[in-house]
């Protein structure tokens, strides 16, 4: 009985070893071809050659030394990139870039930064293009803005982001024309839209509720001549909306 058990064990172990050897040989034979061509898609904010240069992919002579994982790791370190999908087809590496989603372009004094949809502060890099985002202008800050940190630490920036978000949720057409939320360093907030020349004066406090009121008013004015003669809409007063038909003067909203 013991002899039979030993023989069975030896046979079982031999089968496992043979299987491992076979798999090792098989997997070794299935190694992908070395990379000769790299094709990139999905880039919007920056030209392809800028991403190639960042990931050290501008020299085709080094392509055979690269792997799909190494290329993806390099690209995902770029501040604008959220993730990278790679597909190795023969000697070609196909790259699809997924850039971060940005909510706003922030102006403070002479500095410009981008803010992602989840609040990360990203520097505006050279050669950036198609920055068609609402502007948050001159927030009142207690601490300086730091790159790659959260914008949610700055209360006035959060106020600007909330205004942008509520417009986006309320009305897609109105959001498309939203151009600027001017926080005016702590003074009364002005909101500008590209499809009409007058500012929306919302003051401070209850900003979301006031933008809801304005969206209803905007729907009522759509296509009417009154929209063309207004100089401002003032939402600072409780349950009242003032329509300015005289030339707007600074002391009307300071």
């Amino acid at each position: 009985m013991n002899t039979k058990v030993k023989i069975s064990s030896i046979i079982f172990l031999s089968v496992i070893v043979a299987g491992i050897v076979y798999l090792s040989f098989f997997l070794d034979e299935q190694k992908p071809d070395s990379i000769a061509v790299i094709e990139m898609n999905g880039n919007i904010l920056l030209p392809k050659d800028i991403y190639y240069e960042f990931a050290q992919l501008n020299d085709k002579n080094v392509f055979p030394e690269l792997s799909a994982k190494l290329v993806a790791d390099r690209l995902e370190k770029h501040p604008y990139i959220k993730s990278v999908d790679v597909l190795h087809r023969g000697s070609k590496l196909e790259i699809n870039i997924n850039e971060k989603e940005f909510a706003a372009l922030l102006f403070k004094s002479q500095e410009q930064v981008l803010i992602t949809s989840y609040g990360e502060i990203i520097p505006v890099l050279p050669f950036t293009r198609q920055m068609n985002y609402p502007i948050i202008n001159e927030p009142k800050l207690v601490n300086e803005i730091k790159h790659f940190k959260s914008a949610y630490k700055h209360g006035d920036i959060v106020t600007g982001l909330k205004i942008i978000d509520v417009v986006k949720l309320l009305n897609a057409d109105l959001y498309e024309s939203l151009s600027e939320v001017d926080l005016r360093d702590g003074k009364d907030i002005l909101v500008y839209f590209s499809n009409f020349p007058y500012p929306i004066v919302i003051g401070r406090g209850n900003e979301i509720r006031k933008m809801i009121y304005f969206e209803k008013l905007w729907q009522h004015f759509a296509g009417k001549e009154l929209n063309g003669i207004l100089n401002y809409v003032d939402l600072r007063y409780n349950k009242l909306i003032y329509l300015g038909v005289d030339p707007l003067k600074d002391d009307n909203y300071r």
Side-chain angles (χ1 to χ4, degrees):
M1 179 67 71
N2 291 337
T3 302
K4 290 182 179 180
V5 171
K6 289 181 179 178
I7 293 173
S8 298
S9 299
I10 292 171
I11 293 173
F12 180 70
L13 182 60
S14 299
V15 170
I16 291 177
V17 171
I20 292 173
V21 171
Y22 171 78
L23 287 174
S24 299
F25 176 78
F26 178 78
L27 291 175
D28 187 62
E29 289 295 312
Q30 296 299 311
K31 282 184 179 179
D33 296 337
S34 60
I35 299 170
V37 177
I38 296 179
E39 183 179 285
M40 184 183 296
N41 294 293
N43 62 298
I44 297 173
L45 289 171
L46 286 173
K48 292 179 182 179
D49 60 322
I50 301 298
Y51 284 132
Y52 279 122
E53 183 178 356
F54 177 85
Q56 302 173 44
L57 304 176
N58 44 357
D59 183 2
K60 293 184 178 181
N61 293 323
V62 303
F63 285 5
E65 303 170 12
L66 302 174
S67 67
K69 185 179 185 306
L70 179 60
V71 171
D73 287 345
R74 288 182 182 179
L75 285 168
E76 286 175 349
K77 290 180 172 63
H78 194 281
Y80 286 177
I81 294 179
K82 180 180 180 181
S83 63
V84 176
D85 300 317
V86 292
L87 181 61
H88 199 162
R89 294 179 182 272
S91 61
K92 179 193 287 188
L93 187 66
E94 298 177 7
I95 303 172
N96 188 63
I97 288 176
N98 304 302
E99 293 175 328
K100 293 176 181 177
E101 181 182 350
F102 293 98
L105 179 62
L106 176 68
F107 285 76
K108 180 61 179 177
S109 301
Q110 301 300 315
E111 186 173 13
Q112 299 179 31
V113 295
L114 287 160
I115 303 178
T116 69
S117 57
Y118 49 90
E120 184 184 12
I121 298 171
I122 303 292
V124 176
L125 301 176
F127 307 106
T128 302
R129 59 192 185 183
Q130 298 189 29
M131 291 195 299
N132 189 26
Y133 308 110
I135 293 171
I136 296 177
N137 195 28
E138 291 300 321
K140 186 175 180 62
L141 300 177
V142 177
N143 301 308
E144 64 176 334
I145 295 171
K146 294 184 179 180
H147 297 164
F148 309 111
K149 300 297 182 180
S150 176
Y152 299 144
K153 296 179 180 180
H154 304 279
D156 222 23
I157 297 178
V158 172
T159 298
L161 291 171
K162 285 181 178 179
I163 292 171
I164 293 171
D165 285 344
V166 72
V167 174
K168 187 175 183 178
L169 289 171
L170 287 172
N171 192 303
D173 291 334
L174 192 61
Y175 171 74
E176 285 299 316
S177 66
L178 176 60
S179 57
E180 181 182 345
V181 178
D182 190 354
L183 298 167
R184 305 177 68 237
D185 199 24
K187 298 177 182 177
D188 283 340
I189 299 170
L190 305 182
V191 180
Y192 293 88
F193 295 86
S194 61
N195 58 352
F196 40 86
Y198 54 85
I200 315 305
V201 188
I202 66 172
R204 290 279 173 171
N206 300 314
E207 294 89 0
I208 292 177
R209 186 177 67 185
K210 291 173 183 177
M211 293 311 300
I212 292 172
Y213 291 160
F214 174 73
E215 192 273 335
K216 293 179 180 178
L217 182 70
W218 178 79
Q219 288 193 44
H220 180 71
F221 285 167
K224 297 182 180 180
E225 292 183 2
L226 181 60
N227 206 38
I229 63 172
L230 289 175
N231 288 292
Y232 65 92
V233 173
D234 195 337
L235 299 168
R236 290 177 297 173
Y237 305 100
N238 187 32
K239 298 181 181 179
L240 295 172
I241 298 177
Y242 287 89
L243 306 179
V245 293
D246 294 323
L248 180 62
K249 297 179 180 179
D250 288 350
D251 57 1
N252 284 339
Y253 56 88
R254 287 190 184 277

